[in-house]
Amino acid sequence: MSPTSVLTRLRRAAVALFVLTSAAGCTTTSLVLGVAGVATDTSVTWEIAKHLHAQMTDGDPVSCLRMNSVERALTARCGHFVAGSLRTEDIARNELQGCHLTLAARDPRLWPVLPELLNKGAQPESCPVPPLVALAAVQPCPDFQSASPAVRESLVWLAEADARSVRHDVVRMFSCPNARQAGLDRVLDTWLVAGMLQRDTAGFGVLGALHPDYLLSPFGRKLESQGHTAAASLGTVDGRQTSGFEEALRTSNFEAVQWWLNRAPQLANRVPPSQGGRLPWTPLARVLLPGFLADPARQQETVEFLLARGADPWKPIPGGVHNSVVGYARDLKSPLVRLLDPPIVATADAPKRLVAQAGDAAPLANDVATNQGH
């Protein structure tokens, strides 16, 4: 082999190695196609470059160039997905940590891949975790309106094709404001007509799964007309999202809180735990807990709302840490103590209220947080 030929091959190897190194961390599909052009050389240049690149990047994340089309499409660092780039054979053969449909569904950045995955034969039944259940667990109310029509139809198809999607968190997601604005709440109507939300077969309290805004909707009234009750929607929740009453209270959605109190007045003072192994909790104490309310500025308004509807600040908090919500508020040094235990001027007709026992304010606030399910 002539010296000129050797130098030419070395130069080609250097160019190929440079391209590979540049593409190692974040490779777009267009760059991959460019590299493929280098690979058409019939010499050993490309193999030499790949070998050198493998030695240099040993221990680094897998290069996008070494992934198949599905792996690359579902790896965010590999750049934007290019429609038409998936190979059907790659759907069944990949080394992804998780089901491809679940990975694509739970991350809105990867939603553009969904339509092509489904069109080329991907099936949700092959996923241990249903794609929509995974999405609802991490995205209670995704920005559905920013998705393309094809993506939205893919999400609807998953809801209708995979019966395992009928779960507490998914009902919450499809009834949230973003879903309603995108017209995806029609999934719930489809499930209802198909009998998938029947009181005795759903396996969870559907009214408690609805977004608080949706309780007073025609859909909520349909559920009640079919026998669903507030009482049956209390208790353990099979999902990551909170119970319906707790979410209404957390967001100071007074219309929804009133809906629950009208049907289950006992909730003003005691709420069943939504997770196994937890204690019942007291709404007044939960509202006083720092960080609970979505809008802390509405704390006093929410306390006043509960007091006006029968919440008793002198009832013991479950768990025995405090004798009353008043004692808990004192321990927190809450400015709302005067609202919970207003001073009363002693008169002949109104004797002075007895001061709470000294032990009432002794325990620490974080102990109460533990007993309140936090």
Side-chain angles (χ1 to χ4, degrees):
M1 183 181 296
S2 68
T4 302
S5 177
V6 171
L7 288 174
T8 299
R9 289 193 175 191
L10 287 175
R11 281 196 294 268
R12 288 176 178 173
V15 171
L17 181 59
F18 172 76
V19 173
L20 274 170
T21 305
S22 301
C26 183
T27 306
T28 64
T29 303
S30 58
L31 183 54
V32 172
L33 295 176
V35 173
V38 178
T40 59
D41 186 4
T42 56
S43 70
V44 296
T45 302
W46 182 246
E47 292 303 321
I48 294 173
K50 287 198 294 184
H51 174 74
L52 292 173
H53 177 261
Q55 296 298 314
M56 293 172 60
T57 60
D58 184 40
D60 290 351
V62 177
S63 167
C64 297
L65 289 175
R66 292 179 176 273
M67 300 177 184
N68 69 26
S69 62
V70 173
E71 294 166 351
R72 189 163 51 246
L74 296 177
T75 303
R77 64 182 172 84
C78 291
H80 296 295
F81 171 67
V82 176
S85 64
L86 295 186
R87 294 181 176 181
T88 302
E89 60 269 23
D90 290 343
I91 292 177
R93 185 185 70 252
N94 61 74
E95 298 181 5
L96 293 168
Q97 297 297 313
C99 171
H100 35 57
L101 279 177
T102 298
L103 292 173
R106 75 182 182 189
D107 187 346
R109 295 175 302 171
L110 303 178
W111 280 356
V113 187
L114 269 177
E116 192 163 331
L117 278 174
L118 294 173
N119 288 338
K120 293 188 175 179
Q123 294 296 322
E125 293 83 0
S126 64
C127 301
V129 178
L132 292 181
V133 172
L135 171 62
V138 297
Q139 298 271 346
C141 194
D143 183 10
F144 292 114
Q145 286 186 295
S146 67
S148 69
V151 167
R152 291 199 292 268
E153 287 306 312
S154 295
L155 294 171
V156 170
W157 187 89
L158 285 172
E160 296 176 352
D162 189 357
R164 300 174 303 160
S165 298
V166 185
R167 301 278 284 276
H168 175 277
D169 289 357
V170 182
V171 169
R172 176 72 54 80
M173 180 180 71
F174 278 131
S175 60
C176 82
N178 288 342
R180 301 199 304 269
Q181 291 170 11
L184 296 187
D185 54 329
R186 71 181 190 270
V187 166
L188 302 180
D189 292 310
T190 300
W191 285 350
L192 188 63
V193 171
M196 301 171 76
L197 295 177
Q198 290 183 5
R199 179 188 59 185
D200 299 328
T201 59
F204 60 94
V206 182
L207 287 169
L210 291 181
H211 189 278
D213 290 344
Y214 216 50
L215 274 176
L216 283 74
S217 69
F219 184 82
R221 291 193 289 272
K222 283 182 186 178
L223 289 176
E224 286 197 278
S225 70
Q226 293 187 10
H228 290 270
T229 65
S233 295
L234 299 172
T236 303
V237 170
D238 181 18
R240 292 191 181 182
Q241 306 308 323
T242 57
S243 67
F245 177 76
E246 182 174 355
E247 183 64 12
L249 186 65
R250 187 187 72 83
T251 56
S252 300
N253 187 325
F254 296 142
E255 280 190 313
V257 174
Q258 187 65 63
W259 184 96
W260 285 100
L261 294 177
N262 287 345
R263 291 157 177 79
Q266 72 275 14
L267 294 176
N269 288 296
R270 190 181 183 91
V271 182
S274 60
Q275 300 294 332
R278 301 286 181 86
L279 293 172
W281 53 278
T282 304
L284 277 176
R286 186 65 64 87
V287 169
L288 292 175
L289 190 67
F292 171 69
L293 289 178
D295 182 1
R298 303 192 69 182
Q299 186 181 58
Q300 178 171 332
E301 182 185 7
T302 306
V303 168
E304 290 173 340
F305 179 90
L306 291 171
L307 290 173
R309 285 154 181 81
D312 185 351
W314 293 97
K315 280 187 175 293
I317 296 176
V321 177
H322 279 88
N323 291 335
S324 69
V325 176
V326 173
Y328 177 43
R330 286 177 179 150
D331 184 48
L332 289 174
K333 296 180 173 56
S334 170
L336 298 181
V337 170
R338 291 177 63 84
L339 180 62
L340 295 165
D341 183 24
I344 299 177
V345 178
T347 66
D349 297 327
K352 190 173 183 179
R353 176 177 289 171
L354 294 176
V355 179
Q357 295 180 359
D360 192 38
L364 297 176
N366 58 358
D367 292 333
V368 175
T370 300
N371 282 283
Q372 287 294 304
H374 291 269

